[in-house]
Amino acid sequence: MKDRRALLAVIIGLGALVVGVVTAVAEVAWLGAVAGVLGLGAGAISVAIACERDRSTATSKDLEEEIAKLESAVAAQVQARLTAEEAVKSLGRQLSAAERRTVEVAEPTDERGDRIDILHDDSTGLFSERYFRVAVDARIASARRHLRPVAVALLDLVLDARSEDPRRAPAEHVADAIDATLREADTACRLEDGRFALVLEDTPESGAIWTVERIRRAIAKTSPDITMWAGIACYPAHAFDAAAVVERANRALISARDWHQDRIEVATVE
C-alpha cells in the first residue's frame, strides 16, 4: 500500500512538472494553476507516507518495550519457581533430620545396651513403619503452616495376584524401583505387614498418581509378573489430619485390591 502511494506521488509530481513546462512554453495561466494543484497533491501524499512511517516506527518501539517487559517478567517467575523448589527441598531435608531425631530419642536397646535401629527396615534399607507415622505427622503439620499439599500412598505388591494365596513381591526389588523414582524430599517406608508407604512432599493428587505410576512402570519393565495395588490420599483434599489421611489411603488401597491387575485408587471426599 505504501509503495503504491509513493508511486502515485511520483506520478503526480511528474505530471505537475510536465504541466509546469507546458505552461512556461505556451504561457497559459490556467495550466499553471493545474500544475500547482498537482504539486500540492504530490506533497500531501508524501507527507502522509512520512507520518505513517513515523507512527509505524513508534509502534515498533512500543512493541519492543512490551516484549522486553514480558521477557523480564517471565525470567522473574522462573527464578521465583526455582527458589521455591530449592526451599521445598531444604525444608524436606530439615524435616527428615528432625524426624530422625524425634525417633532416635525413644530408640530401644538390646541386652548389651546397644541401640536397636528402629528407623530402617532391615531387608530394604527403607524407613520403618514407626518412622512413617512420625513423618506423616511432621509433614502434614508443616504443610498446614505453609499451605502446601502432602500426599500419602500405600502400595501392596504381590506375585500370583489371581491365586487364592498371592505371595509378596521381592521387597528389595520394589525398594530399588521406589528409590530410583522418588525425590530427595519424599519419604519411602516399608511397613511391618510388608506393604510400602510413601509420603510425598508438596504433592497434590495428580502428582501422587504420576509418581506411583512411574514406580509401577519401573517394576513392570523387569518383573511383569508383579501386580501392584496402590491407595492415595492427600492433605488437604481428602482429610485434614495425619491419621485421617492414612486411613483414607488405606481405604483406597482396599478398593484397589478388588482388581486382579495393577490398580491405583484415589481416596474420595466424604
Side-chain angles (χ1 to χ4, degrees):
M1 180 62 100
K2 291 180 180 179
D3 293 340
R4 291 180 180 177
R5 285 186 293 180
L7 179 61
L8 180 60
V10 171
I11 293 173
I12 294 175
L14 290 175
L17 178 61
V18 171
V19 173
V21 171
V22 172
T23 300
V25 173
E27 296 183 354
V28 180
W30 66 270
L31 287 177
V34 172
V37 171
L38 291 175
L40 288 174
I45 294 174
S46 299
V47 170
I49 293 174
C51 291
E52 184 170 343
R53 187 181 296 113
D54 291 341
R55 286 196 300 270
S56 177
T57 302
T59 301
S60 298
K61 290 181 179 179
D62 292 341
L63 287 174
E64 290 175 358
E65 290 177 358
E66 290 297 326
I67 291 172
K69 290 179 181 178
L70 288 173
E71 289 176 346
S72 298
V74 170
Q77 289 181 357
V78 170
Q79 185 59 44
R81 177 63 180 174
L82 292 174
T83 302
E85 289 178 354
E86 184 58 35
V88 169
K89 290 180 180 179
S90 176
L91 178 60
R93 290 190 292 267
Q94 294 173 21
L95 284 171
S96 296
E99 290 157 8
R100 290 188 182 92
R101 289 194 296 270
T102 300
V103 179
E104 285 171 356
V105 171
E107 278 191 345
T109 57
D110 58 20
E111 296 177 353
R112 295 178 301 177
D114 297 330
R115 281 188 171 183
I116 300 173
D117 185 6
I118 61 173
L119 292 178
H120 297 89
D121 173 66
D122 292 336
S123 61
T124 63
L126 299 179
F127 289 114
S128 64
E129 180 169 348
R130 184 167 182 176
Y131 185 90
F132 168 67
R133 301 296 176 181
V134 175
V136 174
D137 286 336
R139 298 302 172 92
I140 290 183
S142 175
R144 189 177 293 112
R145 291 193 300 271
H146 297 88
L147 301 178
R148 292 185 176 277
V150 172
V152 172
L154 299 180
L155 313 181
D156 194 2
L157 297 101
V158 299
L159 296 166
D160 302 324
R162 294 181 180 274
S163 68
E164 295 182 0
D165 186 23
R167 297 173 290 117
R168 293 284 181 189
E172 296 81 358
H173 179 62
V174 176
D176 290 341
I178 291 175
D179 276 336
T181 303
L182 295 192
R183 305 165 300 176
E184 184 180 356
D186 298 328
T187 301
C189 307
R190 187 173 185 231
L191 306 183
E192 294 174 359
D193 60 6
R195 297 180 301 165
F196 294 84
L198 313 177
V199 185
L200 306 178
E201 184 80 19
D202 194 21
T203 304
E205 178 182 316
S206 57
I209 294 172
W210 176 234
T211 298
V212 174
E213 173 62 15
R214 287 168 57 206
I215 294 172
R216 187 198 67 78
R217 293 183 184 184
I219 294 172
K221 280 184 180 179
T222 55
S223 303
D225 54 336
I226 293 179
T227 298
M228 187 186 81
W229 299 308
I232 295 173
C234 302
Y235 166 87
H238 303 119
F240 296 102
D241 63 81
V245 171
V246 174
E247 194 269 338
R248 296 286 172 80
N250 191 57
R251 284 192 201 175
L253 176 59
I254 292 172
S255 297
R257 285 201 188 104
D258 291 337
W259 298 73
H260 294 297
Q261 61 189 31
D262 292 338
R263 183 73 177 178
I264 301 172
E265 286 284 347
V266 179
T268 58
V269 180
E270 296 182 359

